[in-house]
Amino acid sequence: MNHLYKEFLISDDKSLINMDTVCKFLSRSHWANQRPKETIHKSIQNSVCFGIYDNKRQVGFARIVTDWATIYYLCDVFIDEEYRGRGLGKKLVEFITKEFEGIGGILRTHDAHELYEQYGFIKDTERFMNRLVKR
């Protein structure tokens, strides 16, 4: 599915994803900076992914893990530093929450609670648990 927002394309077409761009951004992130490229590639293959494109340049990304019935997990969301402040992150989250309306969503964030609260996510640290992978 493709959606135009201003001059940007938001798409779930995986053939448009620039793997180098996604891997480089995630290597600079605080949540995935230890994730090997092979793992990133496999995670993209096995998820629903959304990219934001300025012409053919990838400027944003989000990945969804879901069963399409009861729950989805929103992760690996980023907007290129040069493109921040243009509403792209908000539009991406809005697009995803509409796409998955009627299905419960979860996510983890270190610093973007206010962004996600605008789209119905509620901070719930009492029940969310993690099992970390040891590398």
Side-chain angles (χ1 to χ4, degrees):
M1 172 178 291
N2 292 336
H3 176 76
L4 291 176
Y5 171 67
K6 299 181 180 177
E7 69 270 21
F8 300 97
L9 172 67
I10 300 174
S11 178
D12 63 355
D13 183 349
K14 288 185 190 178
S15 71
L16 300 176
I17 294 173
N18 183 315
M19 290 292 199
D20 288 337
T21 297
V22 174
C23 289
K24 284 178 187 173
F25 185 87
L26 292 177
S27 73
R28 297 188 316 266
S29 73
H30 62 84
W31 69 88
N33 60 4
Q34 300 295 314
R35 198 179 295 168
K37 285 183 179 182
E38 298 78 26
T39 301
I40 294 169
H41 286 251
K42 188 174 183 179
S43 71
I44 289 171
Q45 288 174 343
N46 293 302
S47 301
V48 178
C49 299
F50 295 89
I52 300 179
Y53 305 92
D54 181 5
N55 291 313
K56 293 187 179 190
R57 178 181 178 188
Q58 182 155 10
V59 300
F61 179 79
R63 189 168 65 83
I64 304 290
V65 181
T66 186
D67 65 5
W68 288 102
T70 62
I71 196 158
Y72 69 90
Y73 173 55
L74 172 59
C75 52
D76 294 341
V77 179
F78 76 81
I79 301 296
D80 185 295
E81 291 89 349
E82 291 180 41
Y83 286 82
R84 291 181 186 167
R86 300 184 191 190
L88 295 174
K90 289 179 182 180
K91 188 50 81 173
L92 182 59
V93 174
E94 177 187 312
F95 185 76
I96 289 168
T97 55
K98 284 183 180 177
E99 181 76 15
F100 288 89
E101 199 164 27
I103 302 174
I106 59 172
L107 60 84
R108 290 178 53 188
T109 184
H110 177 71
D111 57 2
H113 298 93
E114 290 181 10
L115 166 67
Y116 296 110
E117 286 171 348
Q118 295 174 50
Y119 300 96
F121 287 92
I122 300 168
K123 194 173 182 180
D124 180 12
T125 57
E126 290 182 25
R127 298 189 305 183
F128 196 76
M129 297 179 70
N130 294 309
R131 183 176 179 274
L132 300 177
V133 175
K134 294 182 182 183
R135 296 192 192 267

